[in-house]
Amino acid sequence: MNTTMDENYFDNIFTLFSDRLADFGSPLPSVSTIAEEDNDPYKVLVSTIISLRTKDAVTIEASRRLFAIAPDIRTLASLDSAVISEAIKPAGFYKRKGEQLRKIAEIIRDEYNSEVPSDMDTLLSLPGVGLKTASLVLNLGFGIDAICVDCHVHEIANRIGWVSTKTPEETEKELRRILPMRFWIPLNELLVRYGQLVCTPVSPKCSICPINDSCGKKGVEKSR
Ligand code: SF4
């Protein structure tokens, strides 16, 4: 896109998107909902793992059921993985996630004194924890600047033309380069909600989007 993507440009887009979302009333639930209720890094880590390949509403309910029986890392580590799986069912891959969550909890209990690590490299060393999960834990759990790229952020950043990338990992790298740091933490929540309500994966609602005239709409074949 031809627009100069400086701080004012992003300030303007973030304001336009936030204003548009306000028209929809209460936001739909997401992992941020868990963080807003309780900024506990343990809860952000667990609910983000549950959220992978799982609808947001299912994630919230599954997380709440699990936290009711495992309010902290020590309790989670003491549970049988089948009990964890049953609590988070019907989240996607709930059996595998039950084993993964139990393993992560054991490692954090035994090697990190039951404290969720607050640095990227250690988080990425935990079984099955990828860039998205680690970034979200740093962002929402610890308030540390990191860019969390999930499917919504990856898709919308490409549609608008901020980046031209094939994978969320490439998008994260590009956004680090072009996005001023003060936007790193709010980016995920804003674009996840924008992706749920306006720039939807299938047939985005371009006619009500405030950047309809300037958006590159890359990859958009059908819109409303
Ligand atoms: S104009 Fe359409 S494709 Fe572009 S950001 Fe808005 S809703 Fe998404």
Side-chain angles (χ1 to χ4, degrees), residues 152-185:
H152 290 298
V153 175
H154 174 64
E155 184 161 59
I156 297 173
N158 272 283
R159 279 177 173 174
I160 298 174
W162 292 348
V163 299
S164 180
T165 53
K166 292 203 166 33
T167 66
E169 288 74 23
E170 287 174 16
T171 302
E172 194 263 355
K173 207 168 153 196
E174 270 303 286
L175 287 175
R176 267 179 181 277
R177 197 176 62 75
I178 63 168
L179 193 65
M181 201 179 260
R182 75 182 171 92
F183 299 106
W184 288 15
I185 290 181

Side-chain angles (χ1 to χ4, degrees), residues 17 159-160 194 198-199 204-206 209 211-212 215 217 220:
F17 280 10
R159 279 177 173 174
I160 298 174
Y194 208 69
V198 183
C199 195
K205 298 172 187 165
C206 299
C209 179
I211 64 164
N212 189 18
C215 177
K217 299 192 186 85
V220 175

Side-chain angles (χ1 to χ4, degrees), residues 8 26 57 63 65 71 108 168 188:
N8 285 339
S26 301
S63 300
R65 279 195 302 278
I108 294 176
N188 181 266

Side-chain angles (χ1 to χ4, degrees), residues 30-144:
S30 68
V31 172
S32 302
T33 311
I34 297 283
E36 278 160 16
E37 291 169 359
D38 187 347
N39 278 92
D40 183 348
Y42 158 68
K43 292 188 176 172
V44 176
L45 173 62
V46 169
S47 55
T48 305
I49 288 169
I50 294 172
S51 77
L52 304 175
R53 307 225 171 222
T54 302
K55 288 190 173 145
D56 291 323
V58 173
T59 297
I60 302 302
E61 291 309 311
S63 300
R64 287 185 176 139
R65 279 195 302 278
L66 182 58
F67 296 145
I69 58 170
D72 52 54
I73 211 97
R74 282 188 174 278
T75 316
L76 186 64
S78 72
L79 294 179
D80 192 281
S81 60
V83 174
I84 300 171
S85 299
E86 190 58 33
I88 65 172
K89 192 174 165 185
F93 304 105
Y94 62 90
K95 281 190 185 154
R96 196 192 304 166
K97 285 177 183 170
E99 289 163 12
Q100 181 193 2
L101 286 168
R102 163 83 195 272
K103 185 80 194 149
I104 288 174
E106 278 179 341
I107 292 171
I108 294 176
R109 179 195 63 192
D110 298 343
E111 296 179 24
Y112 301 102
N113 197 25
S114 299
E115 301 281 342
V116 173
S118 60
D119 69 276
M120 180 67 89
D121 288 345
T122 311
L123 284 167
L124 289 174
S125 73
L126 297 171
V129 171
L131 197 54
K132 174 196 161 180
T133 301
S135 300
L136 214 52
V137 171
L138 293 180
N139 272 357
L140 301 178
F142 294 102
I144 293 172

